[in-house]
Amino acid sequence: MDRIDAMKVFVTAVEEGSLAGAARKLKRSPTAISRALSLLEQHVGVELLHRTTRSLKLSEAGRRYVEACRRVLVDLEEADMIAGSERSSPRGTLTISAPPILGEEVLRPILDSFLRENANVSVRFLMLDRFVNLVDEGVDVALRIGNLADSTHMSTRIGGDVRRVVVAAPRYLDSRAAINEPSDLSRHDLIAFSNFGLESWSFAPAKDTSVPRTVHFTPRYLVNSVRAAAASAAEGMGVTRLYSYHVAEYVRDGRLRVVLPQAEPPALPVHILTPQGRAAVPKVRAFIDFAVPRLRSELGRIATESGSLE
């Protein structure tokens, strides 16, 4: 058994979600895919995948093993490129993660342009409302909003700091008690989005204090979608908190109004992250060089527009 090839089959099956999907991706028969997985399980001595006719589910051992396989395959790809003197020729699959709305509206057009100019590169684009583990999940480049924890990852700040704004429809605000301080939110219907706090929101300290203000609440409406939170707020269902670029269009056309701008916490930076050593890989270096100036331009425009949201 070629263990490296079997690892590629295993990782592909997990990413595609089925043996048939892996067979299509790798241009092999489903029987060959199944045989490679069975041999790999025999080698490691545990079941890696629970198989049904329609889907695959990782076992607990499989979940740990797939992360290790991704690391091995990434390291091998990097070693092959360096040994083959491919530094000046981007090629292979580039895995990128980004928050969904920022990914769809800002990064995707940049990726389209990059692919047009790099015929030997393909992209696996993950738009996720969570921080990914770059190494364990095999991600080459991540676009991330927020302050960074200390890590070995290489980071490039691309500016365009993002506000966290509280908004509601004018008709809702006109029919309810005024919102002048964060504590006033306790008397309102709140639409909570999972990434911004399900039970509490924090705000900047009051004047002459250094302690952030925290408002605890039970949401009237709990959603796990940015678009749902913004749309329901625009329909007058309550008050929500999102990033400024999530609601900019709603605010500009009058469907939402920003409240408590004076209490907003500091804006959050935007970075591009790459695992240590990956920036030397041609496809990664080429993408970073291509994307960073374009992201800075676009995020700078968004930050300027967001700064005027009131």
Side-chain angles (χ1 to χ4, degrees):
M1 176 186 65
D2 183 338
R3 286 176 59 195
I4 299 302
D5 183 69
M7 285 181 178
K8 289 179 182 178
V9 170
F10 175 48
V11 170
T12 303
V14 172
E15 292 175 350
E16 295 297 317
S18 68
L19 299 185
R24 287 191 297 271
K25 180 80 171 180
L26 297 174
K27 296 181 172 58
R28 305 184 193 181
S29 69
T31 300
I33 297 296
S34 181
R35 184 184 304 115
L37 292 174
S38 295
L39 289 172
L40 187 62
E41 288 177 325
Q42 289 175 22
H43 175 78
V44 298
V46 294
E47 184 181 40
L48 300 173
L49 290 168
H50 303 305
R51 303 169 180 78
T52 69
T53 55
R54 294 187 177 182
S55 66
L56 302 175
K57 183 178 179 182
L58 283 166
S59 66
E60 187 59 36
R63 191 172 294 110
R64 294 191 299 269
Y65 192 64
V66 75
E67 293 174 356
C69 287
R70 285 189 176 117
R71 290 195 295 270
V72 168
L73 295 174
V74 165
D75 288 344
L76 281 172
E77 180 186 14
E78 181 175 350
D80 287 346
M81 287 182 173
I82 292 173
S85 300
E86 295 287 348
R87 288 185 178 277
S88 61
S89 179
R91 65 183 66 248
T93 300
L94 184 68
T95 301
I96 298 174
S97 77
I101 305 301
L102 196 62
E104 291 174 23
E105 299 183 358
V106 176
L107 187 54
R108 190 225 16 104
I110 294 172
L111 268 173
D112 290 353
S113 297
F114 176 76
L115 288 174
R116 290 189 191 100
E117 296 188 14
N118 293 272
N120 293 323
V121 176
S122 58
V123 167
R124 176 172 167 250
F125 192 17
L126 309 175
M127 287 174 281
L128 304 169
D129 264 323
R130 62 175 176 83
F131 286 173
V132 299
N133 185 311
L134 275 64
V135 175
D136 289 347
E137 298 183 54
V139 174
D140 297 302
V141 180
L143 184 62
R144 187 164 293 180
I145 299 171
N147 297 307
L148 300 179
D150 291 336
S151 75
T152 60
H153 298 325
M154 296 181 62
S155 65
T156 302
R157 183 164 178 164
I158 52 178
D161 289 354
V162 176
R163 292 169 59 192
R164 286 164 283 181
V165 296
V166 178
V167 294
R171 59 178 168 169
Y172 173 90
L173 295 171
D174 291 343
S175 67
R176 302 290 293 266
I179 304 175
N180 298 314
E181 299 292 337
S183 57
D184 294 333
L185 292 170
S186 62
R187 300 193 294 274
H188 285 265
D189 296 333
L190 301 187
I191 303 170
F193 170 56
S194 49
N195 286 19
F196 286 79
L198 302 180
E199 298 177 341
S200 65
W201 293 341
S202 293
F203 294 87
K207 187 177 180 181
D208 300 325
T209 71
S210 59
V211 180
R213 289 171 285 181
T214 300
V215 176
H216 296 274
F217 57 82
T218 299
R220 174 86 190 281
Y221 211 153
L222 180 61
V223 300
N224 66 348
S225 160
V226 166
R227 296 187 191 279
S232 291
E235 288 296 319
M237 296 304 298
V239 182
T240 194
R241 183 183 222 178
L242 296 168
Y243 287 140
S244 48
Y245 67 85
H246 290 153
V247 298
E249 183 177 344
Y250 286 96
V251 174
R252 282 196 298 270
D253 65 19
R255 287 179 289 168
L256 288 174
R257 185 188 304 162
V258 176
V259 298
L260 301 174
Q262 77 286 353
E264 289 175 16
L268 295 172
V270 184
H271 292 84
I272 276 185
L273 297 181
T274 58
Q276 188 72 31
R278 292 300 290 165
V281 177
K283 63 186 179 183
V284 178
R285 183 74 266 157
F287 175 72
I288 291 173
D289 291 344
F290 184 91
V292 165
R294 290 165 174 80
L295 283 169
R296 281 183 173 148
S297 175
E298 184 63 14
L299 290 173
R301 179 190 65 77
I302 292 172
T304 299
E305 291 181 357
S306 299
S308 64
L309 296 181
E310 297 292 348

